[in-house]
Amino acid sequence: MKVDIEDVRAVLELIRPSLQADGGDVKLVSVDDEGVVSVELQGACKGCPMSQLTLANGVERILKERVPGVTSVVPADLDMEELLNNPNVIVLDD
């Protein structure tokens, strides 16, 4: 099932105020054909020791609940070159 990118964006907009209240933010980077959503945590969230917990228990859980087809959420800094060379990945522009 192909993930609707606009649905992902809309749900991230619902999540952002909670992150912004703690000085952080989240930016959508890409969505692949397997339902993997790549995001960049920004501000206070970037480099925070709790960022993996934020992704798993916050962003990923909510996206899986509200957007059909989302299978996981990963940090964008995993390996951008690998993502860019993957023909199944759609990279979004700002």
Side-chain angles (χ1 to χ4, degrees), residues 19 26 37-41 50-62 73-76:
L19 297 173
V26 63
V37 176
S38 179
V39 298
E40 178 185 332
L41 291 176
M50 300 299 286
S51 64
Q52 285 302 106
L53 190 61
T54 299
L55 273 181
N57 292 340
V59 179
E60 182 176 75
R61 179 184 57 80
I62 294 168
V73 177
V74 298

Side-chain angles (χ1 to χ4, degrees), residues 19-77:
L19 297 173
Q20 291 170 339
D22 290 325
D25 208 345
V26 63
K27 175 184 174 185
L28 178 62
V29 175
S30 66
V31 179
D32 75 14
D33 289 341
E34 282 97 39
V36 178
V37 176
S38 179
V39 298
E40 178 185 332
L41 291 176
Q42 300 177 323
C45 292
K46 188 172 188 148
C48 171
M50 300 299 286
S51 64
Q52 285 302 106
L53 190 61
T54 299
L55 273 181
N57 292 340
V59 179
E60 182 176 75
R61 179 184 57 80
I62 294 168
L63 280 171
K64 282 181 168 180
E65 287 174 359
R66 296 181 181 222
V67 182
V70 171
T71 58
S72 66
V73 177
V74 298
D77 59 357

Side-chain angles (χ1 to χ4, degrees), residues 4-20:
D4 186 322
I5 292 171
E6 292 309 315
D7 287 349
V8 173
R9 284 189 176 127
V11 172
L12 288 178
E13 286 302 313
L14 295 174
I15 297 169
R16 290 180 75 219
S18 296
L19 297 173
Q20 291 170 339

